[in-house]
């Protein structure tokens, strides 16, 4: 199938195309910003991008439907996936403007008591990460509204429904007009992974895109609270 795809791309004059997938949390601004920067340098390179849940992202790579993926957790052992750590993200709490918690500089788990919390399913990668914080206080905190990804959480926060724990790369300073992102106490960081099939090394075009992405991540890490 990959041979046929390559032959078709050559016939269409688009052999330099790049295809990528990512966890939905990176679709808010990180991947779009990387696409913008990459297109400035390579305006004729076609790009195909799809945000996918982690359990759909890995099969996409293994079936050769994307050159690489960006995720906030590593693949399972022996998954025939090559993983490269390309940066660190951190856990934050998105709080609507005017919310009682918006005056805080950091948030502890117990600070969320009495406030509506938007959270993730326990079977999701970010749900497992967030649970480390939610159970770090004297009493555990449980979400009242369950969603599956950061974009859904941010839509509810923008509507003023409640607060939500999100991955730091799901937030950009331009979002401040709607809500703010407060770091947690204790601070929780996590690795960002670039994944690709072990049977499909990255093309030169994919490597160039990855270089742009790594540069943006390094720039964003300068303001990390950990």
């Amino acid at each position: 199938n990959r041979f046929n795809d390559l032959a078709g791309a050559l016939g269409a004059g688009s052999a330099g195309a790049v295809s990528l997938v990512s966890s939905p949390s990176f679709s808010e601004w990180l991947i779009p910003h990387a696409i913008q920067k990459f297109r400035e340098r390579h305006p004729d390179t076609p790009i195909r991008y799809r945000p996918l849940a982690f359990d759909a992202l890995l099969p996409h790579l293994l079936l050769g439907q994307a050159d690489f993926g960006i995720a906030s957790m590593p693949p399972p052992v022996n998954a025939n996936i090559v993983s490269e750590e390309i940066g660190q993200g951190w856990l934050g709490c998105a709080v609507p403007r005017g919310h009682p918690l918006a005056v805080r500089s950091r948030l502890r788990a117990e600070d969320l008591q009495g406030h509506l919390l938007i959270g993730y399913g326990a079977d999701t990668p970010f749900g497992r990460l967030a649970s480390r914080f939610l159970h770090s206080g004297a009493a555990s905190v449980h979400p009242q509204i369950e969603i599956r990804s950061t974009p859904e959480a941010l839509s509810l926060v923008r509507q003023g429904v409640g607060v939500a724990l999100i991955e730091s790369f799901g937030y950009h300073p331009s979002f401040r007009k709607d809500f703010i992102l407060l770091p947690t106490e204790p601070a929780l960081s996590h690795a960002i992974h670039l994944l690709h099939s072990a049977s499909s090394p990255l093309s030169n075009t994919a490597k160039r895109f990855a270089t742009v992405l790594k540069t943006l991540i390094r720039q964003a890490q300068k303001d990390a609270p950990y």
Side-chain angles (χ1 to χ4, degrees), residues 3-115:
F3 177 83
N4 289 337
D5 289 343
L6 178 59
L10 287 168
S14 59
V18 61
S19 174
L20 69 146
V21 291
S22 82
S23 301
S25 58
F26 300 115
S27 68
E28 279 291 308
W29 78 269
L30 179 61
I31 300 298
H33 195 186
I35 290 174
Q36 178 194 27
K37 292 295 184 183
F38 180 83
R39 290 283 297 179
E40 289 174 358
R41 304 177 188 179
H42 310 283
D44 298 324
T45 301
I47 298 173
R48 183 174 64 187
Y49 168 56
R50 292 177 182 170
L52 295 171
F54 191 74
D55 55 359
L57 186 151
L58 292 182
H60 226 70
L61 298 175
L62 290 170
L63 292 172
Q65 296 172 339
D67 299 319
F68 65 93
I70 304 297
S72 55
M73 66 179 296
V77 178
N78 301 323
N80 203 33
I81 294 287
V82 176
S83 175
E84 176 190 357
E85 184 176 326
I86 59 173
Q88 292 276 324
W90 51 276
L91 184 75
C93 187
V95 180
R97 285 287 183 187
H99 192 279
L101 293 176
V103 298
R104 304 290 186 97
S105 58
R106 288 177 177 266
L107 289 178
R108 300 167 298 172
E110 50 263 39
D111 295 330
L112 299 178
Q113 296 283 359
H115 299 284

Side-chain angles (χ1 to χ4, degrees), residues 172-185:
H172 188 267
S174 63
F175 298 168
R176 286 176 182 156
K177 66 181 187 304
D178 299 320
F179 60 90
I180 59 174
L181 184 65
L182 299 177
T184 61
E185 187 178 308

